[in-house]
DNA sequence: CGGGATTTCTATAGATCAATAGAAGATAGA
DNA sequence: TCTATCTTCTATTGATCTATAGAAATCCCG
């Protein structure tokens, strides 16, 4: 990432844009399978039948590719979560929707999400912090809904909100590393998580 | 791993044994922090102020070190889980104990568990399969207890046992990647997971 | 079909890394 | 202290990997 400066003007060209897209896709696929450090740029090129050096016409560095893949992996999570929190629904309903919304990209772009979940820690500082901010935003959405539920009495008052948020997200994020066979029925899984969380957290169900 | 053949007889020597121990510990630490492929043998040696080549007096390869760290990370999980399942307690009680038992090593040897959770997929086939077998054993323990709960009516009959097991383990395993601040109160967390699971799964708490 | 721009290629530099060979140093028992 | 054994070191090999340079091929527009 020194002098080459990727031909940014060319990225408006539809041809180059499509190629860049293919390369990002290939990178996501291989990063997801072997991890960032376990992936050589050669392996990415192999997916497309390209030469290793040709990748550098589109990307200044392997790190930059990771950054793009991670950005796409996290993209939309926060926005959708914030929209759901803003709805005029009960805490339990919103929590259920939050879970379903959080799981949806796991079905639609699993490689990207997997890389974002497993490999983001290898990002350079700036990108890592940017993504961490988004994640904290999502956590805050879950926390706000839980707090609302506690406030209006539908959720047990004894829960540690921070920890509970991390546990629910732990269930959601675990799905991304399941074998494909267990991962295919995302909707079912979303319902199970929501059911487990809402029944497990609501008040009035005895000691 | 060709000719050197680690001086196995020496591993009974307490001096060499202690040194080997230090090296495994250093490897676990660095693997946990930077990942297996992100770790150079130099980085492991640096932790101890040793020269990179000196590691090979104790280990035939970097892969072998990963294998040992992962083995220790997974060690004991299955045995303790099986012991708990065999107890004459209710399904809910046993589930609670299973969760607490699963979380305990996360507090006592976090680096090892973290490497086992995050890096085992980079193990050579034989070791990976051996560990996968143990994991399936643990999953079966959780599944058996859930099935018992469904059979005796304490747990909802509509749960998908396999998926529910993976979700509960997802919560447990998520803890290992929490920031230290969130990770310190393992006992609290175990109680929260158990509470969430048992209340979320038991029957008779409405639609 | 001709020519400039775009895309991909070959070739290679330069760095890093796992692992080996063998010398040097440390240790401990006699 | 002498000596055999154990431990660590220096030096290096060969492989691999990211990234660059510049030539070749391809594409597209007139």
């Amino acid at each position: 990432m020194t002098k080459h400066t990727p031909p940014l003007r060319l990225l408006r060209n539809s041809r180059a844009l499509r190629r860049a897209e293919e390369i990002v896709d290939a990178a996501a696929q291989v990063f997801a399978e072997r991890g960032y450090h376990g992936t050589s740029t050669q392996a990415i090129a192999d997916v497309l039948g390209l030469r290793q050096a040709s990748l550098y016409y589109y990307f200044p560095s392997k790190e930059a590719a990771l950054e793009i893949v991670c950005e796409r992996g996290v993209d939309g999570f926060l926005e959708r979560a914030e929209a759901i929190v803003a709805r005029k629904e009960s805490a339990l309903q919103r929590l259920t929707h939050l879970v379903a919304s959080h799981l949806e990209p796991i079905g639609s772009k699993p490689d990207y999400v997997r890389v974002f979940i497993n490999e983001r820690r290898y990002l350079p500082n700036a990108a890592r912090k940017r993504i961490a901010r988004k994640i904290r935003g999502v956590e805050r959405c879950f926390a706000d809904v839980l707090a609302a539920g506690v406030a209006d009495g539908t959720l047990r008052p004894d829960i540690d909100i921070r920890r509970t948020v991390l546990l629910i997200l732990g269930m959601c994020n675990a799905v991304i590393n399941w074998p494909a066979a267990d991962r295919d029925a995302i909707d079912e899984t979303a319902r199970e998580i929501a059911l487990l969380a809402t029944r497990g957290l609501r008040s009035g169900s005895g000691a």
Side-chain angles (χ1 to χ4, degrees), chain A:
Chain A
M1 195 212 147
T2 45
K3 66 154 42 141
H4 190 205
T5 226
L8 281 184
R9 60 206 160 80
L10 296 193
L11 293 186
R12 309 180 182 278
N13 175 318
S14 80
R15 190 184 155 80
L17 197 86
R18 222 175 318 130
R19 196 48 146 169
E21 203 65 26
E22 288 177 342
I23 293 175
V24 172
D25 241 56
Q29 181 184 316
V30 189
F31 286 163
E33 194 175 315
R34 314 187 204 174
Y36 174 69
H37 286 299
T39 295
S40 65
T41 54
Q42 181 65 63
I44 300 173
D46 285 347
V47 173
L48 302 170
L50 260 183
R51 297 288 165 162
Q52 178 262 343
S54 303
L55 300 176
Y56 287 82
Y57 180 72
Y58 296 92
F59 294 95
S61 69
K62 184 181 160 189
E63 227 172 38
L66 176 64
E67 202 169 314
I68 296 183
V69 172
C70 284
E71 287 286 0
R72 291 205 191 178
V74 79
D75 198 56
F77 275 95
L78 178 56
E79 295 76 359
R80 284 197 312 276
E82 284 176 337
I84 289 168
V85 173
R87 290 191 200 167
K88 297 212 173 304
E89 296 177 335
S90 74
L92 287 184
Q93 276 177 315
R94 283 182 295 163
L95 180 58
T96 301
H97 289 309
L98 278 179
V99 169
S101 155
H102 196 82
L103 252 55
E104 186 273 325
I106 291 175
S108 60
K109 46 175 182 179
D111 286 341
Y112 289 90
V113 178
R114 198 169 175 195
V115 171
F116 143 62
I117 294 285
N118 294 332
E119 314 296 330
R120 82 184 114 98
R121 61 179 164 142
Y122 303 120
L123 282 171
N125 265 340
R128 202 177 60 251
K129 284 181 184 171
R130 188 157 15 97
I131 287 185
R133 233 187 328 270
K134 290 191 182 183
I135 293 175
R136 277 197 304 275
V138 172
E139 289 169 359
R140 190 160 356 94
C141 289
F142 277 80
D144 287 350
V145 167
L146 290 188
V150 170
D152 70 18
T154 47
L155 297 188
R156 286 156 34 206
D158 63 319
I159 66 176
D160 179 320
I161 288 183
R162 164 85 183 152
R163 231 193 314 254
T164 305
V165 167
L166 293 180
L167 289 179
I168 294 174
L169 286 172
M171 283 194 278
C172 293
N173 292 338
V175 178
I176 201 63
N177 287 316
W178 288 0
D182 295 314
R183 199 176 350 125
D184 59 359
I186 297 284
D187 298 348
E188 287 284 326
T189 306
R191 245 167 308 186
E192 296 224 29
I193 292 175
L195 210 60
L196 216 154
T198 54
R199 293 199 179 192
L201 295 174
R202 70 182 174 189
S203 53
S205 52

